[in-house]
Short mmCIF file of all heavy atoms in Angstrom, two decimals:
data_model
loop_
_atom_site.label_atom_id
_atom_site.label_comp_id
_atom_site.label_asym_id
_atom_site.label_seq_id
_atom_site.Cartn_x
_atom_site.Cartn_y
_atom_site.Cartn_z
N SER A 380 -46.88 -50.69 -133.94
CA SER A 380 -46.36 -51.45 -132.82
C SER A 380 -45.82 -50.54 -131.72
O SER A 380 -45.36 -49.40 -131.93
CB SER A 380 -45.28 -52.39 -133.29
OG SER A 380 -45.78 -53.36 -134.17
N PHE A 381 -45.72 -51.10 -130.55
CA PHE A 381 -44.91 -50.67 -129.43
C PHE A 381 -43.64 -51.49 -129.47
O PHE A 381 -43.73 -52.72 -129.52
CB PHE A 381 -45.69 -50.89 -128.10
CG PHE A 381 -45.01 -50.35 -126.90
CD1 PHE A 381 -45.19 -49.02 -126.51
CD2 PHE A 381 -44.26 -51.19 -126.11
CE1 PHE A 381 -44.62 -48.51 -125.39
CE2 PHE A 381 -43.61 -50.65 -124.94
CZ PHE A 381 -43.80 -49.34 -124.58
N VAL A 382 -42.48 -50.83 -129.48
CA VAL A 382 -41.26 -51.55 -129.82
C VAL A 382 -40.22 -51.46 -128.68
O VAL A 382 -39.95 -50.34 -128.19
CB VAL A 382 -40.64 -50.99 -131.12
CG1 VAL A 382 -39.41 -51.79 -131.48
CG2 VAL A 382 -41.66 -51.05 -132.26
N TYR A 383 -39.66 -52.61 -128.28
CA TYR A 383 -38.62 -52.66 -127.28
C TYR A 383 -37.27 -52.82 -127.96
O TYR A 383 -37.14 -53.59 -128.95
CB TYR A 383 -38.78 -53.83 -126.33
CG TYR A 383 -39.87 -53.67 -125.33
CD1 TYR A 383 -40.95 -54.59 -125.25
CD2 TYR A 383 -39.82 -52.67 -124.35
CE1 TYR A 383 -41.97 -54.46 -124.30
CE2 TYR A 383 -40.82 -52.53 -123.41
CZ TYR A 383 -41.87 -53.42 -123.38
OH TYR A 383 -42.82 -53.35 -122.44
N MET A 384 -36.27 -52.14 -127.40
CA MET A 384 -34.86 -52.44 -127.76
C MET A 384 -34.06 -52.34 -126.47
O MET A 384 -33.54 -51.26 -126.12
CB MET A 384 -34.34 -51.45 -128.82
CG MET A 384 -32.97 -51.77 -129.33
SD MET A 384 -32.43 -50.85 -130.80
CE MET A 384 -32.29 -49.16 -130.13
N PRO A 385 -33.93 -53.43 -125.77
CA PRO A 385 -33.31 -53.35 -124.45
C PRO A 385 -31.77 -53.46 -124.48
O PRO A 385 -31.17 -53.91 -125.49
CB PRO A 385 -33.86 -54.59 -123.74
CG PRO A 385 -34.17 -55.58 -124.80
CD PRO A 385 -34.57 -54.79 -126.04
N GLY A 386 -31.12 -52.98 -123.40
CA GLY A 386 -29.74 -53.20 -123.16
C GLY A 386 -28.80 -52.47 -124.08
O GLY A 386 -27.74 -52.99 -124.53
N ILE A 387 -29.10 -51.14 -124.35
CA ILE A 387 -28.24 -50.43 -125.29
C ILE A 387 -26.96 -49.87 -124.67
O ILE A 387 -26.02 -49.44 -125.34
CB ILE A 387 -28.96 -49.28 -126.02
CG1 ILE A 387 -29.31 -48.14 -125.05
CG2 ILE A 387 -30.23 -49.80 -126.70
CD1 ILE A 387 -29.88 -46.92 -125.74
N THR A 388 -26.89 -49.88 -123.32
CA THR A 388 -25.64 -49.54 -122.63
C THR A 388 -25.01 -50.75 -122.01
O THR A 388 -25.68 -51.74 -121.82
CB THR A 388 -25.89 -48.44 -121.52
OG1 THR A 388 -26.86 -48.98 -120.58
CG2 THR A 388 -26.46 -47.14 -122.12
N ARG A 389 -23.76 -50.66 -121.71
CA ARG A 389 -23.02 -51.74 -121.08
C ARG A 389 -23.12 -51.61 -119.57
O ARG A 389 -23.14 -50.49 -119.02
CB ARG A 389 -21.56 -51.73 -121.50
CG ARG A 389 -21.28 -51.85 -122.98
CD ARG A 389 -19.77 -51.98 -123.24
NE ARG A 389 -19.00 -50.94 -122.51
CZ ARG A 389 -18.76 -49.70 -123.00
NH1 ARG A 389 -19.22 -49.40 -124.19
NH2 ARG A 389 -18.04 -48.91 -122.26
N PRO A 390 -23.11 -52.74 -118.86
CA PRO A 390 -23.14 -52.68 -117.41
C PRO A 390 -21.99 -51.86 -116.81
O PRO A 390 -22.16 -51.25 -115.76
CB PRO A 390 -23.05 -54.13 -117.00
CG PRO A 390 -23.61 -54.91 -118.15
CD PRO A 390 -23.15 -54.12 -119.34
N ASP A 391 -20.87 -51.85 -117.45
CA ASP A 391 -19.70 -51.13 -116.87
C ASP A 391 -19.72 -49.61 -117.13
O ASP A 391 -18.79 -48.92 -116.73
CB ASP A 391 -18.39 -51.70 -117.43
CG ASP A 391 -18.21 -51.54 -118.94
OD1 ASP A 391 -19.11 -50.94 -119.58
OD2 ASP A 391 -17.20 -52.02 -119.50
N GLU A 392 -20.77 -49.08 -117.74
CA GLU A 392 -20.88 -47.68 -118.02
C GLU A 392 -21.39 -46.85 -116.81
O GLU A 392 -21.36 -45.64 -116.84
CB GLU A 392 -21.75 -47.41 -119.23
CG GLU A 392 -21.16 -47.87 -120.53
CD GLU A 392 -21.88 -47.35 -121.76
OE1 GLU A 392 -21.86 -46.12 -122.01
OE2 GLU A 392 -22.51 -48.18 -122.46
N GLY A 393 -21.90 -47.59 -115.81
CA GLY A 393 -22.26 -46.88 -114.59
C GLY A 393 -23.63 -46.36 -114.48
O GLY A 393 -24.00 -45.67 -113.53
N PHE A 394 -24.50 -46.67 -115.44
CA PHE A 394 -25.92 -46.31 -115.31
C PHE A 394 -26.55 -47.15 -114.21
O PHE A 394 -26.13 -48.26 -113.97
CB PHE A 394 -26.69 -46.51 -116.61
CG PHE A 394 -26.37 -45.51 -117.72
CD1 PHE A 394 -25.31 -45.74 -118.58
CD2 PHE A 394 -27.12 -44.39 -117.85
CE1 PHE A 394 -25.03 -44.80 -119.57
CE2 PHE A 394 -26.87 -43.46 -118.81
CZ PHE A 394 -25.80 -43.68 -119.70
N ILE A 395 -27.59 -46.58 -113.58
CA ILE A 395 -28.27 -47.32 -112.50
C ILE A 395 -29.27 -48.21 -113.24
O ILE A 395 -30.44 -47.86 -113.45
CB ILE A 395 -29.00 -46.37 -111.52
CG1 ILE A 395 -27.97 -45.43 -110.91
CG2 ILE A 395 -29.71 -47.16 -110.44
CD1 ILE A 395 -28.57 -44.41 -109.97
N GLY A 396 -28.80 -49.39 -113.59
CA GLY A 396 -29.63 -50.28 -114.41
C GLY A 396 -29.23 -50.09 -115.84
O GLY A 396 -28.88 -48.98 -116.31
N VAL A 397 -29.25 -51.16 -116.66
CA VAL A 397 -28.89 -51.08 -118.09
C VAL A 397 -30.09 -50.36 -118.80
O VAL A 397 -31.23 -50.55 -118.49
CB VAL A 397 -28.70 -52.47 -118.68
CG1 VAL A 397 -28.47 -52.37 -120.20
CG2 VAL A 397 -27.50 -53.14 -118.01
N VAL A 398 -29.75 -49.47 -119.72
CA VAL A 398 -30.71 -48.62 -120.38
C VAL A 398 -31.45 -49.45 -121.47
O VAL A 398 -30.82 -50.01 -122.39
CB VAL A 398 -30.07 -47.40 -121.03
CG1 VAL A 398 -31.07 -46.61 -121.84
CG2 VAL A 398 -29.45 -46.53 -119.94
N ASP A 399 -32.78 -49.53 -121.27
CA ASP A 399 -33.66 -50.20 -122.25
C ASP A 399 -34.46 -49.12 -123.02
O ASP A 399 -35.04 -48.27 -122.40
CB ASP A 399 -34.60 -51.14 -121.55
CG ASP A 399 -33.92 -52.23 -120.81
OD1 ASP A 399 -32.85 -52.69 -121.24
OD2 ASP A 399 -34.42 -52.59 -119.69
N MET A 400 -34.50 -49.22 -124.31
CA MET A 400 -35.18 -48.24 -125.12
C MET A 400 -36.55 -48.75 -125.58
O MET A 400 -36.64 -49.93 -125.92
CB MET A 400 -34.32 -47.84 -126.32
CG MET A 400 -34.83 -46.64 -127.13
SD MET A 400 -34.95 -45.12 -126.16
CE MET A 400 -33.27 -44.87 -125.64
#
Side-chain angles (χ1 to χ4, degrees):
S380 297
F381 185 85
V382 183
Y383 285 121
M384 185 168 67
I387 69 169
T388 57
R389 301 186 312 273
D391 62 2
E392 292 191 68
F394 286 88
I395 302 176
V397 176
V398 174
D399 301 323
M400 189 59 61

